[in-house]
């Protein structure tokens, strides 16, 4: 139970999640996103299938889970946004820069995430209106990304949908909407899985995903798996910290984090199970990378009975996943502006949307009219992706691990993680603290150096 003056008491009037199940589902809604459906299958396909999946699971358990627990606990402990959290816990020290980097990362990730989400939204429309013909998926994708006006409009629709939920607040908007969407996403995924697995020739796809061939593992795959674990669990940028700040004192944070990690991994595997059996059954290449989602899937699904319907369902579920992640991304700057500048939530959302739309403009136009503008040899889309995923997220992750491991005392962390001794999980939380102190900073520094091209395995 909370002490009268404990730092973890929610300030009067601050919104929070209503139920602990709701808190788990919303946290899962942030983790589940394009990462599960677009990045995970594409990277598993490119890095040898099951062996990569195994590596990924190790990275998630050894590095992802401790950082997730740390972020949620920091947020709940301080009851504040990503920047104020560090200001409150370490006044006058530069640790708040971790939060600043988080807010920046959220805005930058949104510039290209909303762009890809816009393509997904447009594919729902295209599948409904029968515009996704099997033979022309490549040309259709080309046309989708190279038309400046329509890709901007779809991006703004994705941004507007996200804003409509965030503006309603934490309990009445985010929790209420995501609690309804997540079961729908799971149901659609199960339907697509059943369809894919019952295709003749599906076995090769399942073997590809579940039968590890360890000889296929490379050093580079380890780094890719580690980076993916970070992006997948929305770590290193204050998203989970912000969500943790809305969790109640009686919620078990380690149990919440473990459930989210397990369920998120299950969703990734289920997405793989919907994709690879169908890819193999129809003789496509599993290594098609990014094109897997927008070119291979429409082609594969369209060639099976009731293909149009399944393509539609698949893109609806992808849009739901992307929207849950975008909501959590938008909440980071909104909570920061709302709480530090004292602006109303409505005004904070408006400012955030304008900034995201303006910065999103060059990202979106870089696949069409601005494709020849490059910075450091990258288009704006690639630059924003590179700067956030390869620099800001790892930096944030290292910062959080160092802060919790070396600044926040172990007994304080264990007390907070065990709900002041009310939960019988002290050993687990203490192990997490040790991992954060020694293992995580080294592992994430290696991802950072690798992302910058300064280190390869
Ligand atoms: N976890 C989300 C996904 O897998 C992406 C994300 C990253 C969301 C960082 C929020 C913060 O798609």
């Amino acid at each position: 139970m909370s002490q009268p003056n404990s730092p973890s008491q929610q300030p009067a009037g601050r919104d929070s999640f209503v139920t602990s199940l709701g808190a788990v589902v919303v946290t899962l809604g942030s983790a589940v996103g394009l990462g599960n459906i677009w990045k995970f299958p594409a990277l598993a396909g490119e890095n040898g299938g099951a062996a990569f999946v195994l590596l990924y699971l190790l990275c998630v358990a050894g590095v992802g889970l401790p950082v997730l627990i740390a972020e949620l606990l920091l947020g709940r402990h301080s009851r504040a946004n990503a920047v104020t959290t560090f200001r409150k816990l370490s006044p006058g020290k530069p640790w708040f820069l971790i939060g600043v980097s988080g807010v920046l990362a959220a805005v930058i990730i949104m510039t290209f995430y909303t762009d890809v989400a816009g393509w997904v939204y447009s594919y729902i429309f295209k599948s409904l209106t029968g515009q996704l013909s099997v033979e022309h998926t490549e040309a259709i994708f080309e046309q989708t990304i190279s038309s400046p006006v329509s890709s901007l409009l779809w991006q703004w629709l994705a941004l507007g949908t996200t804003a409509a939920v965030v503006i309603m607040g934490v309990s009445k908007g985010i929790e209420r909407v995501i609690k309804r969407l997540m079961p729908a996403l799971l149901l659609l995924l199960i339907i697509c899985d059943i369809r894919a697995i019952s295709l003749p020739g599906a076995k090769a796809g399942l073997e590809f995903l579940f039968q590890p061939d360890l000889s296929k593992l490379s050093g580079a795959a380890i780094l890719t798996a580690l980076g993916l674990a970070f992006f997948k669990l929305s770590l290193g940028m204050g998203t989970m910290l912000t969500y943790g700040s809305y969790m109640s004192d009686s919620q078990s944070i380690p149990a919440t984090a473990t459930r989210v990690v397990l369920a998120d991994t299950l969703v990734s595997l289920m997405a793989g199970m919907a994709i690879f059996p169908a890819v193999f059954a129809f003789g496509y290449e599993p290594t098609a990378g990014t094109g897997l989602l927008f070119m291979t899937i429409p082609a594969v699904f369209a060639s099976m009975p009731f293909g149009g319907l399944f393509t539609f369902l698949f893109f609806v579920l992808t849009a739901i996943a992307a929207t849950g992640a975008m909501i959590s991304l938008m909440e980071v700057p909104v909570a920061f502006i709302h709480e530090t500048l004292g602006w109303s939530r409505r005004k904070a959302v408006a400012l955030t949307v304008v900034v995201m739309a303006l910065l999103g403009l060059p990202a979106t136009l870089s696949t069409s009219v601005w494709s020849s503008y490059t910075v450091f040899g990258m288009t704006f889309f690639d630059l924003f992706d590179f700067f956030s995923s390869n620099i800001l997220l790892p930096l944030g992750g290292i910062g959080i691990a160092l802060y919790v491991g070396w600044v926040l005392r172990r007994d304080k962390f264990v007390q907070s993680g065990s709900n002041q001794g009310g939960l019988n999980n002290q050993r687990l939380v203490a192990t997490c603290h040790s991992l954060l102190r020694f293992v995580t900073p080294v592992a994430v520094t290696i991802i950072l150096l690798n992302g910058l091209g300064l280190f390869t395995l």
Side-chain angles (χ1 to χ4, degrees):
M1 291 306 292
S2 64
Q3 312 292 313
N5 285 320
S6 83
S8 72
Q9 198 160 51
Q10 194 70 277
R14 194 169 190 269
D15 205 353
S16 57
F17 297 135
V18 181
T19 64
S20 66
L21 178 66
V24 174
V25 176
V26 173
T27 310
L28 181 62
S30 168
V32 168
L34 292 169
N36 305 62
I37 298 162
W38 170 42
K39 278 201 180 194
F40 177 84
L43 292 176
E46 285 166 1
N47 291 286
F52 177 81
V53 174
L54 205 65
L55 256 187
Y56 172 74
L57 294 179
L58 288 176
C59 294
V60 159
V63 182
L65 184 61
V67 180
L68 177 55
I69 294 177
E71 280 206 34
L72 293 175
L73 277 179
L74 273 177
R76 186 180 62 175
H77 190 71
S78 67
R79 296 281 178 217
N81 63 77
V83 179
T84 311
T85 288
F86 294 99
R87 281 223 173 104
K88 254 185 173 174
L89 297 178
S90 297
K93 301 268 165 57
W95 290 105
F96 72 94
L97 291 173
I98 300 174
V100 174
S101 136
V103 173
L104 202 64
V107 173
I108 296 177
I109 290 179
M110 275 296 267
T111 61
F112 62 88
Y113 208 89
T114 48
D115 189 20
V116 181
W119 302 341
V120 173
Y121 279 34
S122 86
Y123 268 60
I124 297 180
F125 176 73
K126 288 192 171 80
S127 61
L128 257 186
T129 49
Q131 293 175 46
L132 291 177
S133 72
V134 196
E135 301 87 42
H136 304 117
T137 53
E138 212 171 317
I140 294 167
F141 182 56
E142 230 359 86
Q143 189 200 349
T144 305
I145 64 171
S146 62
S147 149
V149 177
S150 80
S151 50
L152 275 180
L153 290 176
W154 284 112
Q155 178 182 35
W156 292 340
L157 182 68
L159 207 48
T161 310
T162 308
V165 178
V166 175
I167 214 166
M168 289 188 286
V170 176
S171 52
K172 296 209 179 78
I174 301 178
E175 183 175 356
R176 202 168 52 97
V177 172
I178 296 201
K179 244 165 77 181
R180 300 209 171 128
L181 288 181
M182 287 308 276
L185 180 147
L186 280 183
L187 184 72
L188 294 178
L189 200 50
I190 292 170
I191 295 174
C192 289
D193 272 352
I194 294 174
R195 174 69 271 211
I197 292 171
S198 57
L199 288 170
K203 207 169 140 251
L206 292 178
E207 278 174 8
F208 179 75
L209 196 61
F210 291 113
Q211 228 173 56
D213 173 359
L214 295 181
S215 67
K216 288 196 176 145
L217 280 188
S218 64
I222 303 180
L223 300 177
T224 308
L226 210 52
L228 177 66
F230 240 72
F231 183 83
K232 271 292 340 87
L233 296 173
S234 315
L235 299 174
M237 46 159 300
T239 310
M240 292 308 195
L241 189 155
T242 307
Y243 272 4
S245 76
Y246 303 133
M247 290 183 186
S248 82
D249 288 330
S250 57
Q251 180 114 12
S252 165
I253 299 288
T256 301
T258 310
R259 285 185 192 129
V260 168
V261 165
L262 289 176
D264 176 65
T265 308
L266 188 69
V267 171
S268 293
L269 291 174
M270 284 170 72
M273 278 161 64
I275 294 169
F276 290 118
V279 166
F280 278 87
F282 291 97
Y284 284 89
E285 279 300 311
T287 51
T290 307
L292 200 59
L293 178 57
F294 294 102
M295 292 185 265
T296 314
I297 288 180
V300 165
F301 279 39
S303 24
M304 56 196 202
F306 299 108
L309 174 67
F310 284 101
T311 312
F312 169 70
L313 294 181
F314 192 83
F315 280 103
V316 171
L317 87 86
T318 309
I320 294 177
T323 308
M326 290 190 292
I327 289 171
S328 70
L329 281 162
M330 191 177 278
E331 181 61 18
V332 176
V334 167
F336 166 67
I337 297 168
H338 177 55
E339 288 171 5
T340 50
L341 300 184
W343 288 21
S344 70
R345 205 171 168 82
R346 187 174 280 269
K347 255 171 103 181
V349 170
L351 175 67
T352 306
V353 167
V354 170
V355 172
M356 286 174 172
L358 284 178
L359 284 175
L361 206 78
T364 303
L365 296 183
S366 69
T367 51
S368 55
V369 284
W370 287 4
S371 59
S372 52
Y373 288 110
T374 55
V375 182
F376 304 125
M378 289 179 266
T379 63
F380 287 112
F381 185 107
D382 292 337
L383 179 75
F384 291 161
D385 185 6
F386 178 85
F387 186 57
S388 53
S389 310
N390 293 13
I391 300 179
L392 290 179
L393 291 195
L395 271 183
I398 295 170
I400 286 165
L402 289 179
Y403 185 77
V404 171
W406 297 91
V407 180
L408 210 66
R409 283 203 330 267
R410 187 188 186 86
D411 52 345
K412 222 171 167 185
F413 186 71
V414 173
Q415 249 209 338
S416 184
S418 65
N419 293 359
Q420 325 304 328
L423 300 168
N424 196 10
N425 62 0
Q426 283 82 347
R427 234 205 230 150
L428 175 89
V429 184
T431 309
C432 255
H433 193 267
S434 306
L435 284 170
L436 289 160
R437 204 167 151 91
F438 303 108
V439 179
T440 320
V442 177
V444 185
T445 304
I446 293 175
I447 311 184
L448 178 70
L449 295 179
N450 174 256
L452 294 175
L454 299 174
F455 177 82
T456 39
L457 265 181

